[in-house]
Amino acid sequence: MRAYWYTKEGSSLRQIQPQLTFVRILIVISCSDSSNSLKMSGYNRQGNRSATGKSDNRIKHTNAGSRSDWKPNPSKNDRCLDSASGSQNNKSSVKDAASDVKNIKPIPISLDDDGSSKKVKQLGDKSETDGDDNGRVNHPVFDICPKKVSSVIKLKAPLHVMNREKRNQSKQAMKGQNIIILGPGMVLMKGYISSVDQISIVKTCRELGISDGGFYQPGYSGGTKLHLQMMCLGKNWDPESQPAYTELRAFDKSKPPKIPEKFDEMVKKAIKDSNEFIRGNTGSSDEWKVFPCISPDICIVNFYTKSGRLGLHQDKDESDTSLKKGLPVVSFSIGDSAEFLYGETRSIDEADKVTLESGDVLIFGGKSRLIYHGVTSIVPDSAPTSLMEATDMRAGRLNLTFRVY
Ligand SMILES: O=C(O)CCC(=O)C(=O)O
Ligand SMILES: [Fe+2]
């Protein structure tokens, strides 16, 4: 067992515990195949080192804020916006959640040359920029699993690649729990979502994403866009609307699809498993309170292509009660890995970094509920080949964050 601890003097969790001296412990439970031993490792925040041990020199200052603070910023350093761009284990085994999705009205799609489905949603016979008589505005359909209708024959991944993935998957399953406590109230469950469930989530999001209320590229009235595609489930979140959460999507008046029951079950199970781990491994310290069980009523689904990113921000548009109680945000990562930053301030230079891989679940609540976080880059071609084969998902990363309003 290896253990490193470090103390951050004088730093504070803004808005939650201003005077808090933040003792941060990173515990990596990594039960080796033979010994099931507890490993703890850590990192030096002041040295701007990542949890993977690499320093990050690429990242420069930027401005960021809450999701609603993502206002257009003329600074070239704003990594959030620009104006040009339009392990498996079997902890939660679910049947294909797509079969639970009711009342989906898929929108007919035609494919562009690059296989992307940028056909404008047909809300009447209007073009993308037109609105209908009710002020509904059309937008392009974004299909995360476009079937490539082309003469290029899709080759299967080489056998040795497939075999390596299979070996890695069964190793992960044997390892059992692989949970990292990134800070008080911030837990990362590595490879938590089984391959079967990942496939199921992609398929469900694909169906929802091409239907009413599906994926679109959020932006601002000035034309600036976020570097991702987004759809909301449960309630709609909009970067510009006041309040940020509404029942209908403002620009096309669509109602966000419901959160599929299976997603809800998976969130609850992840919290339960995380709590069991915390109880079993962190003793009785106040720092390590378990998460309350939640029934999320909001899920924001983001899809990042390889150039996707998201500036440092806080998730603070939820209700005061939800924020005060520190009700956790539960985040699922699927597909390509992401370089994820998190920290107590909005300074990128002071933020810590961790790589979120396909199947990882990140939970942040309690004292970390208002942690600043963002995605600096997507690691190209890092998604499991088997997932891509099974879903035909386009290259990129799917992220689902569940919250309680
Ligand atoms: O993609 C991620 O991991 C983070 C997403 C996020 O922070 C958000 O949607 O608010
Ligand atoms: Fe967020």
Side-chain angles (χ1 to χ4, degrees):
M1 182 173 98
R2 286 180 295 143
Y4 308 84
W5 295 58
Y6 75 86
T7 314
K8 288 202 312 209
E9 307 290 0
S11 55
S12 63
L13 270 182
R14 283 159 66 134
Q15 302 193 9
I16 312 175
Q17 291 259 324
Q19 301 308 323
L20 179 74
T21 298
F22 188 0
V23 179
R24 185 170 284 221
I25 304 169
L26 173 68
I27 302 176
V28 179
I29 292 299
S30 174
C31 302
S32 71
D33 296 356
S34 54
S35 66
N36 271 6
S37 63
L38 174 71
K39 282 187 200 158
M40 299 165 81
S41 66
Y43 52 92
N44 177 341
R45 185 185 157 99
Q46 270 72 25
N48 198 20
R49 285 178 61 81
S50 71
T52 51
K54 290 184 191 133
S55 61
D56 186 355
N57 300 321
R58 292 170 298 116
I59 300 160
K60 296 279 172 268
H61 290 285
T62 190
N63 291 329
S66 76
R67 282 191 73 108
S68 348
D69 289 342
W70 297 342
K71 296 279 186 288
N73 183 336
S75 158
K76 276 192 183 158
N77 283 336
D78 190 336
R79 303 181 68 88
C80 182
L81 306 161
D82 81 20
S83 52
S85 70
S87 65
Q88 311 301 324
N89 64 27
N90 291 320
K91 285 187 165 297
S92 60
S93 102
V94 295
K95 65 177 161 56
D96 191 340
S99 62
D100 283 350
V101 180
K102 306 256 171 13
N103 301 324
I104 299 173
K105 278 183 261 149
I107 289 146
I109 297 164
S110 70
L111 300 173
D112 289 353
D113 291 347
D114 65 353
S116 63
S117 42
K118 287 177 183 153
K119 179 103 163 66
V120 173
K121 279 194 176 187
Q122 300 296 315
L123 302 171
D125 287 322
K126 307 269 177 145
S127 73
E128 179 178 355
T129 46
D130 288 340
D132 67 7
D133 295 342
N134 299 318
R136 288 153 60 109
V137 174
N138 298 328
H139 67 92
V141 170
F142 183 80
D143 187 350
I144 63 169
C145 306
K147 273 252 177 302
K148 293 212 165 63
V149 189
S150 82
S151 52
V152 180
I153 298 165
K154 200 172 156 199
L155 294 174
K156 271 202 144 200
L159 202 60
H160 71 274
V161 175
M162 304 290 277
N163 285 342
R164 188 176 53 218
E165 261 183 28
K166 270 195 199 132
R167 280 198 307 276
N168 287 344
Q169 283 178 10
S170 52
K171 261 195 230 154
Q172 280 297 113
M174 283 161 69
K175 272 204 263 182
Q177 277 184 318
N178 188 1
I179 297 181
I180 304 168
I181 297 179
L182 296 174
M186 192 164 186
V187 174
L188 174 58
M189 306 167 87
K190 293 297 295 174
Y192 178 80
I193 308 170
S194 71
S195 327
V196 173
D197 288 353
Q198 290 180 48
I199 292 167
S200 163
I201 292 169
V202 170
K203 287 183 174 171
T204 303
C205 290
R206 193 261 171 170
E207 290 306 315
L208 294 170
I210 58 171
S211 309
D212 258 356
F215 284 112
Y216 76 108
Q217 190 176 12
Y220 298 88
S221 34
T224 310
K225 303 266 191 198
L226 299 189
H227 288 274
L228 47 77
Q229 296 279 335
M230 183 185 83
M231 75 168 154
C232 298
L233 311 179
K235 290 186 192 303
N236 188 63
W237 177 86
D238 184 278
E240 270 191 331
S241 74
Q242 274 307 329
Y245 285 111
T246 49
E247 293 306 314
L248 297 183
R249 192 155 80 177
F251 74 88
D252 65 358
K253 308 284 185 291
S254 62
K255 192 168 169 48
K258 284 195 176 124
I259 298 177
E261 224 169 87
K262 288 296 170 194
F263 287 8
D264 183 72
E265 285 168 17
M266 291 173 81
V267 169
K268 291 194 165 86
K269 175 117 178 55
I271 291 177
K272 190 168 156 274
D273 288 339
S274 165
N275 284 347
E276 263 168 34
F277 169 79
I278 292 171
R279 280 199 196 95
N281 290 283
T282 58
S284 58
S285 163
D286 269 358
E287 295 276 35
W288 308 112
K289 289 210 179 97
V290 294
F291 297 114
C293 181
I294 58 161
S295 269
D297 52 4
I298 303 158
C299 174
I300 297 183
V301 186
N302 295 322
F303 189 87
Y304 303 79
T305 57
K306 63 173 190 263
S307 59
R309 57 192 185 269
L310 180 60
L312 272 184
H313 65 279
Q314 293 170 300
D315 291 350
K316 61 175 187 186
D317 289 328
E318 294 70 37
S319 70
D320 285 349
T321 320
S322 180
L323 297 178
K324 270 191 199 122
K325 284 187 180 165
L327 298 184
V329 173
V330 180
S331 159
F332 292 0
S333 292
I334 295 171
D336 283 338
S337 305
E339 301 298 1
F340 183 86
L341 291 197
Y342 61 99
E344 295 159 40
T345 70
R346 65 201 292 179
S347 158
I348 280 183
D349 288 339
E350 285 176 24
D352 290 314
K353 185 171 83 165
V354 69
T355 303
L356 298 182
E357 297 168 298
S358 198
D360 289 357
V361 172
L362 176 69
I363 309 179
F364 54 98
K367 290 176 178 171
S368 289
R369 179 59 181 77
L370 291 179
I371 197 102
Y372 284 88
H373 59 280
V375 170
T376 52
S377 61
I378 301 299
V379 183
D381 301 324
S382 49
T385 314
S386 48
L387 174 76
M388 305 308 270
E389 290 274 324
T391 59
D392 271 325
M393 186 168 86
R394 66 168 75 219
R397 169 173 181 262
L398 190 63
N399 172 259
L400 294 82
T401 50
F402 297 89
R403 310 120 193 260
V404 175
Y405 179 73

